[in-house]
Amino acid sequence: MWNYEIQALGVAGASALKKIDAPLFNRFEKIYIHNEGDKGSETFIKKAYEVLPYEKLYTIRADAVDNECKDPSDLHIKGILDFEKLLATAEKVDKKSYEDANIKASSMKSIDSNQTEQVSKHVKVAEDVM
């Protein structure tokens, strides 16, 4: 993508999105997430919902340009990478899915903090006993 002067960020897996500093994305008007149409992409996109702002999020699909291509790299290799066509596949992310992912993430964080508090109490008890 950078060879075509298109700003792009490759993220190695959904769990890596936790490391992204979301405010860095504030300067972008739109954020396009490539959807390969598989379970990994689905997980990645749901994780992106937890990190990135809804207003800016869109998905794009290389297979909508050429059904034999799973990503922009495949389009490039075939010599048919056309950003206008690729961006024409853009779809706004589903608001309900976005909200559901954030509700789930919030509830998981409260569970995690509750578990952390319980573990801390058990550690304190163990220290007192010793």
Side-chain angles (χ1 to χ4, degrees):
M1 303 286 279
W2 284 96
N3 287 333
Y4 294 88
E5 297 181 6
I6 302 293
Q7 296 176 358
L9 174 65
V11 179
S15 61
L17 283 172
K18 293 177 187 174
K19 298 174 186 168
I20 292 176
D21 189 6
L24 293 174
F25 289 89
N26 289 339
R27 64 184 167 168
F28 299 107
E29 184 178 319
K30 293 181 180 179
I31 301 168
Y32 298 97
I33 301 172
H34 186 266
N35 182 352
E36 292 182 9
D38 60 9
K39 187 74 173 162
S41 283
E42 183 181 319
T43 301
F44 182 87
I45 291 167
K46 285 180 182 176
K47 212 37 124 165
Y49 290 170
E50 297 173 21
V51 178
L52 302 171
Y54 169 78
E55 310 77 45
K56 297 181 180 197
L57 284 178
Y58 296 81
T59 59
I60 56 174
R61 294 184 67 126
D63 63 355
V65 174
D66 182 316
N67 64 359
E68 295 177 2
C69 295
K70 71 171 187 148
D71 58 31
S73 179
D74 286 348
L75 293 170
H76 168 75
I77 290 167
K78 283 185 84 170
I80 58 172
L81 181 55
D82 178 331
F83 287 102
E84 286 185 29
K85 287 182 182 178
L86 185 58
L87 292 180
T89 72
E91 293 182 0
K92 184 75 183 121
V93 299
D94 180 65
K95 187 163 182 99
K96 181 168 178 5
S97 296
Y98 181 90
E99 290 170 349
D100 289 349
N102 280 290
I103 289 169
K104 183 178 178 183
S106 293
S107 67
M108 292 303 286
K109 286 176 187 170
S110 65
I111 289 170
D112 288 345
S113 65
N114 187 29
Q115 288 174 341
T116 300
E117 186 178 320
Q118 289 177 353
V119 168
S120 294
K121 286 180 184 177
H122 288 291
V123 168
K124 176 75 172 125
V125 169
E127 288 173 344
D128 290 345
V129 168
M130 296 182 107

